[in-house]
Amino acid sequence: MKLSVIVCTYRRREPVGQLLRCLAGQTFRDFEVLLVDGAGESGYAQSLATVERYAPTLNVRVLASAKGLTRQRNAGLKAARGELLCLLDDDVSFEADFLGQIVETLARPGMERVGGLTGYDVVHYPQAINARWRLRRWLRIVPSLEPGAIDRLGASVPVSFCQPFSGAKTVGFFYGFCMIFRRRAIAALEFDEDLPTYGGEDRDF
């Protein structure tokens, strides 16, 4: 399965460089990278220079975009050619077998109906369900204390409460730092470009 890695950035050369190094070191090689720069044409030149410095042999297409994470992600989705779509923040890092594990997991028998995966933050996960979250549940501000639960108004429970596990788990949303979808699972969905901030677009999507 070909994989498209979509990375949206805005004037963050060093973090992007570290991410490109991670991607260049992947053992799985059938992937493209779309680096979507929200600084427009000026950012385009800087992103090209970053690619040349950190990962000159990597298959990267740099796209100039209007500023805004939802706009940038939509530009990446439209340009992507892969069967799997991996949206990463520009400051994440991972081991050399990361992309290979994604493809292997989604190709595994019994996983045909799984529409997406997310990465697991080994630095900050799992978090304990603290008194504040128990109070929110008691006041019915959140739908439950089940990791990844979300209600129709967007009130959600952090995925970071989830303990490491093997297999598939149904959740209501993925955190934006690492969202991986089968193309056919999201069909023609787009990010809502009317959202005013850089927060919440992942839950909305």
Side-chain angles (χ1 to χ4, degrees):
M1 286 186 282
K2 186 175 180 65
L3 191 148
S4 294
V5 178
I6 300 167
V7 179
C8 301
T9 191
Y10 183 80
R11 304 190 188 282
R12 284 163 56 86
R13 183 171 183 172
E14 291 302 319
V16 170
Q18 296 302 319
L19 172 56
L20 290 174
R21 278 187 187 152
C22 283
L23 290 168
Q26 292 299 294
T27 54
F28 177 81
R29 303 308 300 172
D30 190 14
F31 69 95
E32 63 174 356
V33 180
L34 295 102
L35 184 59
V36 188
D37 198 305
E41 293 302 325
S42 62
Y44 177 83
Q46 186 182 65
S47 285
L48 281 178
T50 302
V51 172
E52 283 299 314
R53 176 180 173 188
Y54 289 95
T57 61
L58 203 58
N59 176 19
V60 182
R61 281 188 285 157
V62 177
L63 306 176
S65 169
K67 182 181 177 182
L69 188 53
T70 54
R71 295 184 187 94
Q72 290 170 246
R73 282 182 166 164
N74 284 339
L77 289 175
K78 288 174 185 173
R81 301 172 182 146
E83 182 183 348
L84 301 178
L85 306 171
C86 177
L87 295 106
L88 295 178
D89 278 3
D90 63 2
D91 59 354
V92 298
S93 61
F94 36 81
E95 301 298 330
D97 61 350
F98 177 66
L99 296 183
Q101 286 192 47
I102 291 167
V103 174
E104 187 276 329
T105 299
L106 287 171
R108 191 182 304 160
M111 300 291 277
E112 297 87 349
R113 294 176 59 83
V114 173
L117 301 171
T118 186
Y120 190 84
D121 184 343
V122 296
V123 176
H124 303 101
Y125 293 6
Q127 294 178 349
I129 300 175
N130 58 28
R132 178 182 297 176
W133 278 96
R134 295 186 191 283
L135 179 61
R136 288 176 178 172
R137 176 57 186 151
W138 184 77
L139 294 172
R140 298 186 179 179
I141 296 171
V142 293
S144 71
L145 290 177
E146 183 66 23
I150 191 168
D151 67 18
R152 63 185 181 82
L153 298 177
S156 59
V157 182
V159 179
S160 54
F161 290 158
C162 195
Q163 299 289 328
F165 68 96
S166 178
K169 177 179 176 60
T170 299
V171 295
F173 72 102
F174 291 146
Y175 279 134
F177 77 91
C178 180
M179 301 183 292
I180 305 144
F181 298 101
R182 295 185 193 273
R183 180 183 290 277
R184 68 173 185 267
I186 62 174
L189 281 179
E190 292 186 341
F191 287 86
D192 184 351
E193 296 185 2
D194 289 331
L195 290 175
T197 69
Y198 273 77
E201 79 294 327
D202 44 6
R203 293 191 299 270
D204 179 75
F205 186 77

